[in-house]
Amino acid sequence: PFFREPSTVFHTWQASGYLCGFWSDGFAPPLFAQVYTELQKAMPSVLCNHRLVNAWAYKYDDQPDDFLRPSNGTSMHTDGAAVNINCWVVPDSSMADPHYGGMQVWHKTAVNVDGSNYNEPGTALFQLAENGTFIIGYQKDEQMSAKIALVEQDEPLVVPYKQNRCVIFDSSLWHATNKVRSKPGFTNRRINLTFLAGVIGDTCKAVKKRRRQGTLASRAVQKEPLNADL
C-alpha cells in the first residue's frame, strides 16, 4: 500500500511524466532485498550469484501536461547490468487501456566489444573552476539517434501489463515502456519496480568460474606457511 499513497521515496522527476525513487537516495525498504533474495533462490540458473547492483521505483503520471497527452513512459534505453527484473504493482483495473502500460523489448543489445554499455546519449564533462567549484558540461552522442533508428527497424516483443507480473531479460537489450494509459487519480498511476543484477555482459557460467577460482585461491593461501619476516 505504501507504493500507492503519497510517499517521500520519490525524490526525482522526469519531464516525460514520471517520478523516480532510487535506493541511493532513500528508497531502500527491506522488502526490496527480500524480494530479490527470493527471486534469486527461485531462479538460480538466471540470477545465480549475481549481486543486486541497483533498484528503483517509477510512478507514472496519467496526464503530465494535459489530458490529451498522457505519459509515454520511459523511452528506448538499456541498463548497465546482466539481468533486468521489471515488476508492475498497481491493479489491472487502474489501466484505462489494456493495450498499453506494458513493455517493449527489442532483440538487439547495446554492448560494445569491450563489454561497455553504449546506451548513454552523451557524456558529462567536469572542469574545476578557479574558485574551486565544478563546471558541468554535456557532450551529446551524435550517433545515438542512428543507433535507435537501427534498433527500431525490427518489431519489438510487446509484453502486456498485468499486476504482479515481472519481466526478466538481458539488461543490455533495448527496451521501453509501451506508453501509459492509466485512469485518473493518484492511486491509479502505474508503478514499476526495477532490479538490476550483476555486471553488464556477465553470465552465470563466468560468475561460477570466478567464484571457484576465488575459493581455490583462498584455500591455497590458507595452506601456505606463515612468513616469519611479515
Side-chain angles (χ1 to χ4, degrees):
F2 67 92
F3 286 124
R4 301 185 57 202
E5 300 300 327
S7 175
T8 59
V9 303
F10 298 104
H11 297 293
T12 310
W13 67 276
Q14 295 291 335
S16 51
Y18 56 94
L19 300 173
C20 311
F22 298 97
W23 73 348
S24 58
D25 60 12
F27 180 58
L31 182 61
F32 243 21
Q34 178 184 338
V35 169
Y36 179 73
T37 299
E38 293 182 3
L39 286 171
Q40 199 172 33
K41 291 179 179 178
M43 296 179 291
S45 62
V46 176
L47 296 175
C48 50
N49 289 308
H50 287 312
R51 294 185 178 182
L52 183 63
V53 297
N54 205 346
W56 60 74
Y58 288 167
K59 189 178 184 71
Y60 296 81
D61 200 345
D62 53 338
Q63 45 185 36
D65 290 336
D66 55 61
F67 185 74
L68 298 178
R69 199 185 79 84
S71 174
N72 284 330
T74 311
S75 59
M76 286 179 63
H77 67 288
T78 65
D79 293 302
V83 182
N84 186 307
I85 306 172
N86 206 292
C87 305
W88 306 318
V89 299
V90 300
D92 298 349
S93 59
S94 293
M95 298 295 104
D97 189 333
H99 295 95
Y100 298 111
M103 173 180 285
Q104 297 174 310
V105 183
W106 283 262
H107 297 282
K108 282 189 170 67
T109 63
V111 182
N112 287 337
V113 292
D114 63 355
S116 61
N117 187 1
Y118 62 74
N119 169 53
E120 296 298 328
T123 303
L125 304 175
F126 297 88
Q127 291 181 324
L128 186 63
E130 293 183 358
N131 62 0
T133 60
F134 283 102
I135 301 175
I136 304 175
Y138 188 79
Q139 182 176 342
K140 185 178 180 181
D141 181 358
E142 300 297 338
Q143 299 180 355
M144 189 65 180
S145 297
K147 294 172 184 175
I148 293 178
L150 178 63
V151 175
E152 287 182 320
Q153 290 178 5
D154 295 338
E155 287 293 323
L157 170 67
V158 178
V159 183
Y161 182 90
K162 187 174 181 60
Q163 185 183 24
N164 293 331
R165 171 171 285 166
C166 291
V167 186
I168 303 172
F169 55 96
D170 182 341
S171 196
S172 63
L173 289 173
W174 289 87
H175 54 283
T177 306
N178 188 27
K179 302 182 179 179
V180 177
R181 300 294 182 267
S182 57
K183 295 177 181 178
F186 191 83
T187 57
N188 285 322
R189 293 178 182 175
R190 178 187 186 273
I191 297 176
N192 75 269
L193 307 180
T194 298
F195 303 85
L196 297 186
V199 180
I200 189 168
D202 208 355
T203 64
C204 284
K205 183 178 180 179
V207 172
K208 184 177 180 180
K209 181 179 179 180
R210 289 198 305 272
R211 188 176 186 183
R212 182 174 182 275
Q213 290 173 336
T215 300
L216 292 175
S218 177
R219 290 176 180 173
V221 170
Q222 292 174 7
K223 291 180 180 179
E224 290 181 358
L226 293 176
N227 189 331
D229 296 331
L230 295 179

